[in-house]
Amino acid sequence: MTNTNQKIPLVDLGAQYQAHKAELDTALSECLSRSSFIGGPDHAALATEFAEWCGGGYAALVGNGTDALILALIETLGQGDGSGEIITVSHTFIATAEAITAAGYKPVFVEIDPATYLMDIAAMEAAIGPETRAIVPVHLYGQMVEMDRVMEIAKRHGLAVVEDAAQAHGASWKGDRPGTHSDAACFSFYPGKNLGAWGDAGAIYTHDAALAESITARANHGRQDKYLHQFEGVNSRLDGLQAAILRVKLRHIDAWNAARREVASWYEELLEGHKSMRLPQIREEAAHVFHLFVVQVEDRDRIRKYLNDRGIGAGVHYPVPLHEQPALAYLGLKSEDLPVTSKLGKTILSLPIYPELTWVQAERVVATLVEAVDA
Protein backbone atom coordinates (compact mmCIF):
# COMPACT_ATOMS: atom_id res chain seq x y z
CA MET A 1 0.00 0.00 0.00
CA THR A 2 1.08 3.58 -0.65
CA ASN A 3 1.57 6.32 1.95
CA THR A 4 -1.71 8.16 2.48
CA ASN A 5 -0.61 10.62 5.18
CA GLN A 6 -0.11 13.63 2.90
CA LYS A 7 -2.91 14.70 0.60
CA ILE A 8 -2.14 15.52 -3.02
CA PRO A 9 -4.79 17.95 -4.31
CA LEU A 10 -5.99 18.12 -7.90
CA VAL A 11 -4.72 21.72 -7.98
CA ASP A 12 -2.60 23.41 -5.30
CA LEU A 13 -3.20 27.16 -5.45
CA GLY A 14 -1.80 27.58 -1.96
CA ALA A 15 1.61 26.32 -3.07
CA GLN A 16 1.57 28.81 -5.93
CA TYR A 17 0.78 31.68 -3.58
CA GLN A 18 3.50 30.72 -1.11
CA ALA A 19 6.08 30.50 -3.91
CA HIS A 20 5.30 34.07 -5.07
CA LYS A 21 3.82 35.59 -1.91
CA ALA A 22 6.01 38.69 -1.72
CA GLU A 23 5.47 39.60 -5.36
CA LEU A 24 1.70 39.06 -5.21
CA ASP A 25 1.29 40.86 -1.90
CA THR A 26 3.21 43.87 -3.20
CA ALA A 27 1.09 44.11 -6.35
CA LEU A 28 -2.09 43.84 -4.31
CA SER A 29 -0.91 46.44 -1.79
CA GLU A 30 -0.02 48.91 -4.54
CA CYS A 31 -3.43 48.49 -6.14
CA LEU A 32 -5.13 49.03 -2.77
CA SER A 33 -3.05 52.14 -2.12
CA ARG A 34 -4.16 53.62 -5.46
CA SER A 35 -7.78 52.52 -4.88
CA SER A 36 -7.93 51.72 -8.61
CA PHE A 37 -10.54 48.99 -8.32
CA ILE A 38 -12.29 49.55 -11.65
CA GLY A 39 -9.99 50.26 -14.58
CA GLY A 40 -6.74 51.90 -13.56
CA PRO A 41 -3.11 51.36 -14.51
CA ASP A 42 -3.01 47.61 -13.80
CA HIS A 43 -6.04 47.03 -16.02
CA ALA A 44 -4.55 49.00 -18.91
CA ALA A 45 -1.13 47.38 -18.50
CA LEU A 46 -2.57 43.85 -18.37
CA ALA A 47 -4.47 44.39 -21.62
CA THR A 48 -1.23 45.36 -23.37
CA GLU A 49 0.96 42.71 -21.71
CA PHE A 50 -1.48 39.85 -22.26
CA ALA A 51 -1.93 40.77 -25.93
CA GLU A 52 1.83 40.88 -26.44
CA TRP A 53 2.21 37.50 -24.72
CA CYS A 54 -0.51 36.00 -26.92
CA GLY A 55 1.34 37.03 -30.07
CA GLY A 56 1.05 40.75 -30.60
CA GLY A 57 -2.49 41.94 -31.16
CA TYR A 58 -5.21 43.37 -28.93
CA ALA A 59 -6.92 42.18 -25.76
CA ALA A 60 -10.30 43.09 -24.33
CA LEU A 61 -10.55 42.32 -20.60
CA VAL A 62 -13.91 41.16 -19.26
CA GLY A 63 -15.50 39.77 -16.13
CA ASN A 64 -15.19 36.05 -16.84
CA GLY A 65 -14.57 33.48 -19.56
CA THR A 66 -18.26 32.95 -20.32
CA ASP A 67 -18.74 36.65 -20.98
CA ALA A 68 -15.64 36.56 -23.17
CA LEU A 69 -17.33 34.04 -25.45
CA ILE A 70 -20.70 35.81 -25.43
CA LEU A 71 -19.25 39.22 -26.22
CA ALA A 72 -16.89 37.89 -28.89
CA LEU A 73 -19.74 36.11 -30.65
CA ILE A 74 -22.09 39.09 -30.50
CA GLU A 75 -19.48 41.55 -31.74
CA THR A 76 -18.32 39.18 -34.48
CA LEU A 77 -21.71 37.97 -35.74
CA GLY A 78 -24.22 40.42 -34.33
CA GLN A 79 -26.98 39.46 -31.88
CA GLY A 80 -28.73 36.40 -33.26
CA ASP A 81 -32.46 35.69 -33.40
CA GLY A 82 -32.19 31.97 -32.60
CA SER A 83 -32.20 30.75 -36.18
CA GLY A 84 -28.47 30.76 -36.88
CA GLU A 85 -26.29 27.81 -35.86
CA ILE A 86 -22.83 27.61 -34.33
CA ILE A 87 -20.88 24.35 -34.39
CA THR A 88 -18.99 23.18 -31.31
CA VAL A 89 -18.43 20.05 -29.23
CA SER A 90 -20.38 18.45 -26.40
CA HIS A 91 -17.31 17.42 -24.39
CA THR A 92 -16.72 20.78 -22.70
CA PHE A 93 -18.04 22.92 -19.86
CA ILE A 94 -21.58 24.20 -20.35
CA ALA A 95 -20.33 27.80 -20.67
CA THR A 96 -19.43 27.07 -24.30
CA ALA A 97 -23.06 26.30 -25.16
CA GLU A 98 -24.47 28.96 -22.83
CA ALA A 99 -22.48 31.60 -24.68
CA ILE A 100 -23.80 30.47 -28.05
CA THR A 101 -27.38 30.58 -26.78
CA ALA A 102 -26.89 33.92 -25.00
CA ALA A 103 -25.57 35.42 -28.23
CA GLY A 104 -28.79 34.33 -29.95
CA TYR A 105 -27.65 31.20 -31.79
CA LYS A 106 -28.29 27.47 -31.64
CA PRO A 107 -25.44 25.15 -30.61
CA VAL A 108 -24.81 22.24 -32.97
CA PHE A 109 -22.70 19.55 -31.32
CA VAL A 110 -20.31 17.37 -33.27
CA GLU A 111 -18.28 14.32 -32.33
CA ILE A 112 -14.78 14.35 -30.89
CA ASP A 113 -11.70 12.59 -32.23
CA PRO A 114 -11.29 9.33 -30.24
CA ALA A 115 -7.51 9.78 -30.28
CA THR A 116 -7.18 13.40 -29.05
CA TYR A 117 -10.66 13.96 -27.50
CA LEU A 118 -10.79 17.25 -29.43
CA MET A 119 -13.21 18.33 -32.17
CA ASP A 120 -13.43 15.86 -35.05
CA ILE A 121 -12.69 18.12 -38.01
CA ALA A 122 -14.43 15.86 -40.56
CA ALA A 123 -17.56 15.77 -38.38
CA MET A 124 -17.42 19.54 -38.04
CA GLU A 125 -17.30 20.04 -41.79
CA ALA A 126 -20.13 17.56 -42.33
CA ALA A 127 -22.32 19.52 -39.89
CA ILE A 128 -22.07 22.79 -41.85
CA GLY A 129 -25.44 23.73 -43.29
CA PRO A 130 -27.31 26.75 -44.65
CA GLU A 131 -27.91 28.17 -41.15
CA THR A 132 -24.33 27.77 -39.92
CA ARG A 133 -22.77 31.08 -38.93
CA ALA A 134 -19.65 30.17 -36.97
CA ILE A 135 -17.44 27.49 -35.47
CA VAL A 136 -16.31 27.44 -31.84
CA PRO A 137 -13.41 24.97 -31.51
CA VAL A 138 -12.63 24.07 -27.90
CA HIS A 139 -8.97 23.67 -27.00
CA LEU A 140 -9.32 21.12 -24.23
CA TYR A 141 -6.96 19.99 -21.46
CA GLY A 142 -4.23 22.30 -22.82
CA GLN A 143 -4.02 21.00 -26.40
CA MET A 144 -5.27 23.01 -29.36
CA VAL A 145 -7.57 21.84 -32.13
CA GLU A 146 -5.98 21.67 -35.61
CA MET A 147 -6.63 25.32 -36.37
CA ASP A 148 -5.15 25.34 -39.86
CA ARG A 149 -7.78 22.81 -40.97
CA VAL A 150 -10.55 24.63 -39.10
CA MET A 151 -9.66 27.96 -40.72
CA GLU A 152 -9.37 26.49 -44.22
CA ILE A 153 -12.88 25.02 -43.94
CA ALA A 154 -14.32 28.13 -42.28
CA LYS A 155 -12.95 30.44 -44.97
CA ARG A 156 -14.27 28.20 -47.72
CA HIS A 157 -17.77 28.39 -46.22
CA GLY A 158 -17.60 32.04 -45.14
CA LEU A 159 -17.87 31.26 -41.41
CA ALA A 160 -16.58 33.11 -38.38
CA VAL A 161 -14.30 31.30 -35.93
CA VAL A 162 -14.19 32.13 -32.22
CA GLU A 163 -11.86 29.88 -30.21
CA ASP A 164 -12.70 28.67 -26.72
CA ALA A 165 -9.17 28.85 -25.27
CA ALA A 166 -10.18 28.69 -21.60
CA GLN A 167 -7.77 25.77 -21.05
CA ALA A 168 -5.08 26.78 -23.55
CA HIS A 169 -3.03 29.63 -22.06
CA GLY A 170 0.28 29.37 -23.93
CA ALA A 171 -0.68 26.38 -26.08
CA SER A 172 0.05 26.42 -29.81
CA TRP A 173 -0.68 24.49 -32.99
CA LYS A 174 2.11 24.44 -35.57
CA GLY A 175 3.71 27.32 -33.67
CA ASP A 176 0.59 29.51 -33.61
CA ARG A 177 -1.24 30.38 -30.40
CA PRO A 178 -5.01 30.82 -30.04
CA GLY A 179 -6.32 33.85 -31.89
CA THR A 180 -3.51 33.94 -34.44
CA HIS A 181 -5.74 33.29 -37.46
CA SER A 182 -9.31 33.26 -36.13
CA ASP A 183 -11.63 36.18 -35.42
CA ALA A 184 -10.88 35.91 -31.70
CA ALA A 185 -9.76 33.59 -28.91
CA CYS A 186 -11.52 33.66 -25.55
CA PHE A 187 -9.77 33.00 -22.25
CA SER A 188 -10.96 32.33 -18.72
CA PHE A 189 -8.83 33.37 -15.76
CA TYR A 190 -10.81 31.22 -13.32
CA PRO A 191 -8.48 30.53 -10.34
CA GLY A 192 -7.62 26.95 -11.34
CA LYS A 193 -6.54 27.83 -14.89
CA ASN A 194 -2.87 27.84 -15.91
CA LEU A 195 -3.15 31.63 -15.67
CA GLY A 196 -5.69 32.16 -12.92
CA ALA A 197 -7.02 35.18 -11.05
CA TRP A 198 -8.24 35.24 -7.43
CA GLY A 199 -11.82 35.25 -8.60
CA ASP A 200 -13.62 35.44 -11.95
CA ALA A 201 -11.96 37.18 -14.89
CA GLY A 202 -11.61 36.70 -18.64
CA ALA A 203 -10.21 38.12 -21.86
CA ILE A 204 -10.64 38.12 -25.62
CA TYR A 205 -7.53 38.18 -27.80
CA THR A 206 -7.73 39.26 -31.43
CA HIS A 207 -5.70 40.83 -34.23
CA ASP A 208 -8.67 43.08 -35.04
CA ALA A 209 -8.25 46.39 -33.20
CA ALA A 210 -11.82 47.48 -33.95
CA LEU A 211 -13.21 44.21 -32.58
CA ALA A 212 -11.22 44.55 -29.34
CA GLU A 213 -12.42 48.15 -28.98
CA SER A 214 -16.08 47.27 -29.56
CA ILE A 215 -15.94 44.34 -27.11
CA THR A 216 -14.31 46.58 -24.48
CA ALA A 217 -17.05 49.16 -24.96
CA ARG A 218 -19.87 46.59 -24.83
CA ALA A 219 -18.41 45.13 -21.63
CA ASN A 220 -18.48 48.62 -20.09
CA HIS A 221 -22.10 49.63 -20.74
CA GLY A 222 -21.47 50.49 -24.39
CA ARG A 223 -19.52 53.60 -23.54
CA GLN A 224 -16.26 55.23 -24.43
CA ASP A 225 -16.78 58.20 -22.12
CA LYS A 226 -18.21 58.08 -18.60
CA TYR A 227 -21.68 59.29 -19.52
CA LEU A 228 -21.74 58.89 -23.30
CA HIS A 229 -23.06 55.49 -24.40
CA GLN A 230 -22.82 54.57 -28.08
CA PHE A 231 -25.07 51.52 -27.57
CA GLU A 232 -26.60 49.44 -24.80
CA GLY A 233 -23.93 47.14 -23.39
CA VAL A 234 -23.41 45.08 -20.27
CA ASN A 235 -21.36 45.27 -17.09
CA SER A 236 -18.52 42.76 -17.48
CA ARG A 237 -15.35 44.46 -16.30
CA LEU A 238 -12.17 42.77 -15.10
CA ASP A 239 -11.46 44.64 -11.87
CA GLY A 240 -8.19 46.29 -10.90
CA LEU A 241 -7.32 43.83 -8.14
CA GLN A 242 -7.57 40.87 -10.51
CA ALA A 243 -5.52 42.75 -13.09
CA ALA A 244 -2.77 43.37 -10.54
CA ILE A 245 -2.65 39.68 -9.63
CA LEU A 246 -2.73 38.52 -13.23
CA ARG A 247 0.12 40.84 -14.20
CA VAL A 248 2.34 39.12 -11.63
CA LYS A 249 1.26 35.65 -12.72
CA LEU A 250 1.75 36.47 -16.40
CA ARG A 251 5.46 36.91 -15.70
CA HIS A 252 5.63 33.28 -14.52
CA ILE A 253 3.20 31.49 -16.85
CA ASP A 254 5.85 30.25 -19.30
CA ALA A 255 7.86 28.65 -16.48
CA TRP A 256 4.70 27.17 -14.98
CA ASN A 257 3.70 25.66 -18.33
CA ALA A 258 7.18 24.15 -18.69
CA ALA A 259 6.82 22.63 -15.21
CA ARG A 260 3.42 21.20 -16.15
CA ARG A 261 4.97 19.57 -19.21
CA GLU A 262 7.62 18.00 -17.00
CA VAL A 263 4.99 16.61 -14.62
CA ALA A 264 3.08 15.24 -17.61
CA SER A 265 6.24 13.54 -18.88
CA TRP A 266 6.65 11.88 -15.46
CA TYR A 267 3.10 10.56 -15.62
CA GLU A 268 3.63 9.28 -19.16
CA GLU A 269 6.81 7.49 -18.09
CA LEU A 270 5.21 5.97 -15.00
CA LEU A 271 2.09 4.86 -16.89
CA GLU A 272 4.00 3.29 -19.78
CA GLY A 273 3.02 -0.35 -20.23
CA HIS A 274 -0.28 -0.04 -18.33
CA LYS A 275 -2.54 -0.74 -21.30
CA SER A 276 -5.72 -0.64 -19.24
CA MET A 277 -5.24 3.13 -18.92
CA ARG A 278 -5.46 5.11 -22.15
CA LEU A 279 -4.01 8.58 -22.65
CA PRO A 280 -5.15 11.11 -25.25
CA GLN A 281 -2.84 11.45 -28.22
CA ILE A 282 -0.65 14.53 -28.30
CA ARG A 283 0.05 15.49 -31.88
CA GLU A 284 3.62 16.40 -32.84
CA GLU A 285 2.52 19.80 -34.14
CA ALA A 286 0.92 20.72 -30.80
CA ALA A 287 2.57 22.48 -27.87
CA HIS A 288 0.51 21.16 -24.95
CA VAL A 289 0.27 23.14 -21.70
CA PHE A 290 -1.47 20.44 -19.62
CA HIS A 291 -4.18 22.37 -17.89
CA LEU A 292 -5.40 18.85 -17.13
CA PHE A 293 -3.76 15.44 -17.31
CA VAL A 294 -6.43 12.88 -18.12
CA VAL A 295 -6.57 9.12 -18.52
CA GLN A 296 -9.37 6.82 -19.61
CA VAL A 297 -10.19 3.97 -17.23
CA GLU A 298 -13.06 1.53 -16.94
CA ASP A 299 -15.07 1.63 -13.69
CA ARG A 300 -13.98 5.27 -13.41
CA ASP A 301 -16.15 6.27 -10.45
CA ARG A 302 -14.87 3.41 -8.27
CA ILE A 303 -11.28 4.25 -9.16
CA ARG A 304 -11.78 7.92 -8.45
CA LYS A 305 -13.22 7.11 -5.01
CA TYR A 306 -10.30 4.76 -4.33
CA LEU A 307 -7.86 7.57 -5.08
CA ASN A 308 -9.80 10.19 -3.14
CA ASP A 309 -10.07 7.92 -0.10
CA ARG A 310 -6.27 7.66 -0.11
CA GLY A 311 -5.63 11.38 -0.30
CA ILE A 312 -5.28 11.71 -4.08
CA GLY A 313 -7.36 14.58 -5.47
CA ALA A 314 -8.44 12.94 -8.72
CA GLY A 315 -11.30 14.67 -10.54
CA VAL A 316 -13.65 14.24 -13.48
CA HIS A 317 -14.07 16.52 -16.54
CA TYR A 318 -16.86 16.22 -17.81
CA PRO A 319 -19.07 13.33 -16.66
CA VAL A 320 -22.29 14.50 -18.36
CA PRO A 321 -21.72 15.70 -21.94
CA LEU A 322 -23.65 18.79 -22.99
CA HIS A 323 -25.92 16.87 -25.39
CA GLU A 324 -27.09 14.82 -22.37
CA GLN A 325 -27.63 17.78 -20.04
CA PRO A 326 -31.22 18.50 -18.92
CA ALA A 327 -30.64 22.20 -19.64
CA LEU A 328 -30.08 21.40 -23.31
CA ALA A 329 -32.77 18.73 -23.72
CA TYR A 330 -34.63 21.07 -26.08
CA LEU A 331 -32.03 20.18 -28.75
CA GLY A 332 -33.54 16.69 -28.86
CA LEU A 333 -30.26 14.78 -28.77
CA LYS A 334 -29.63 11.35 -27.28
CA SER A 335 -26.49 9.71 -25.88
CA GLU A 336 -26.09 7.54 -28.96
CA ASP A 337 -26.00 10.59 -31.24
CA LEU A 338 -22.41 11.23 -30.08
CA PRO A 339 -21.16 7.82 -28.90
CA VAL A 340 -17.46 8.70 -28.57
CA THR A 341 -18.33 11.75 -26.48
CA SER A 342 -20.75 9.80 -24.29
CA LYS A 343 -18.23 7.02 -23.69
CA LEU A 344 -15.56 9.53 -22.68
CA GLY A 345 -17.87 11.07 -20.09
CA LYS A 346 -18.01 7.71 -18.34
CA THR A 347 -14.28 6.87 -18.48
CA ILE A 348 -12.27 10.09 -18.23
CA LEU A 349 -10.28 10.72 -15.04
CA SER A 350 -8.19 13.80 -14.23
CA LEU A 351 -5.00 13.31 -12.20
CA PRO A 352 -3.41 16.01 -10.02
CA ILE A 353 -1.26 18.39 -12.04
CA TYR A 354 0.25 21.74 -11.09
CA PRO A 355 3.74 23.26 -11.44
CA GLU A 356 4.76 22.49 -7.86
CA LEU A 357 3.93 18.76 -8.04
CA THR A 358 7.02 16.65 -7.30
CA TRP A 359 8.34 13.41 -8.78
CA VAL A 360 7.66 11.65 -5.48
CA GLN A 361 4.05 12.83 -5.55
CA ALA A 362 3.64 11.74 -9.18
CA GLU A 363 4.99 8.29 -8.26
CA ARG A 364 2.46 8.03 -5.45
CA VAL A 365 -0.42 9.12 -7.70
CA VAL A 366 0.41 6.50 -10.31
CA ALA A 367 1.12 3.75 -7.77
CA THR A 368 -2.27 4.38 -6.16
CA LEU A 369 -3.95 4.51 -9.56
CA VAL A 370 -2.44 1.15 -10.50
CA GLU A 371 -3.60 -0.28 -7.16
CA ALA A 372 -7.11 0.98 -7.87
CA VAL A 373 -7.23 -0.48 -11.38
CA ASP A 374 -5.94 -3.85 -10.17
CA ALA A 375 -8.16 -3.96 -7.06
Side-chain angles (χ1 to χ4, degrees), residues 137-357:
V138 180
H139 306 316
L140 209 62
Y141 310 138
Q143 182 174 201
M144 285 181 63
V145 177
E146 302 163 82
M147 285 306 299
D148 52 345
R149 294 181 61 195
V150 171
M151 293 309 302
E152 186 276 324
I153 293 166
K155 288 177 180 178
R156 182 155 30 93
H157 291 273
L159 303 176
V161 177
V162 173
E163 301 170 63
D164 183 338
Q167 298 186 7
H169 307 74
S172 66
W173 172 254
K174 293 186 176 179
D176 294 326
R177 288 186 173 181
T180 300
H181 302 295
S182 66
D183 292 278
C186 299
F187 293 87
S188 166
F189 298 132
Y190 185 79
K193 303 298 185 185
N194 290 32
L195 181 62
W198 286 356
D200 275 319
I204 300 96
Y205 170 71
T206 179
H207 281 275
D208 186 336
L211 179 61
E213 184 177 355
S214 64
I215 291 172
T216 299
R218 186 171 294 277
N220 190 21
H221 299 287
R223 64 186 173 187
Q224 293 176 322
D225 191 12
K226 186 172 183 179
Y227 291 117
L228 183 62
H229 305 264
Q230 301 299 328
F231 51 86
E232 290 181 308
V234 297
N235 182 0
S236 181
R237 298 175 295 212
L238 189 154
D239 66 66
L241 290 170
Q242 301 302 343
I245 293 158
L246 286 165
R247 289 188 68 202
V248 172
K249 290 191 173 189
L250 186 61
R251 297 196 283 268
H252 299 283
I253 182 66
D254 291 334
W256 290 342
N257 283 342
R260 286 174 176 271
R261 291 188 184 101
E262 184 174 31
V263 173
S265 72
W266 296 340
Y267 278 143
E268 290 165 357
E269 177 183 342
L270 292 164
L271 287 166
E272 189 173 359
H274 294 283
K275 299 187 184 300
S276 60
M277 291 172 272
R278 301 176 297 283
L279 304 180
Q281 178 187 2
I282 301 172
R283 296 211 165 103
E284 291 183 4
E285 302 94 331
H288 204 309
V289 293
F290 291 98
H291 172 62
L292 299 172
F293 188 96
V294 301
V295 297
Q296 275 200 77
V297 292
E298 300 300 328
D299 202 7
R300 189 268 317 283
D301 293 336
R302 178 189 66 80
I303 291 171
R304 180 194 184 191
K305 184 177 185 304
Y306 188 100
L307 291 167
N308 292 166
D309 288 346
R310 287 153 181 79
I312 308 295
V316 176
H317 304 82
Y318 299 92
V320 183
L322 297 190
H323 73 287
E324 298 178 18
Q325 291 284 352
L328 295 165
Y330 67 90
L331 295 174
L333 297 174
K334 300 177 181 178
S335 297
E336 55 266 30
D337 292 327
L338 299 171
V340 178
T341 299
S342 291
K343 171 68 173 177
L344 196 66
K346 298 177 178 66
T347 58
I348 205 77
L349 182 72
S350 300
L351 302 183
I353 188 164
Y354 44 90
E356 298 80 14
L357 194 94

Side-chain angles (χ1 to χ4, degrees), residues 23 26 36 49 87-88 112 130 169 184 191 215 275 281 289 349 352:
E23 201 176 357
T26 296
S36 53
E49 292 163 4
I87 297 171
T88 191
I112 55 175
H169 307 74
I215 291 172
K275 299 187 184 300
Q281 178 187 2
V289 293
L349 182 72

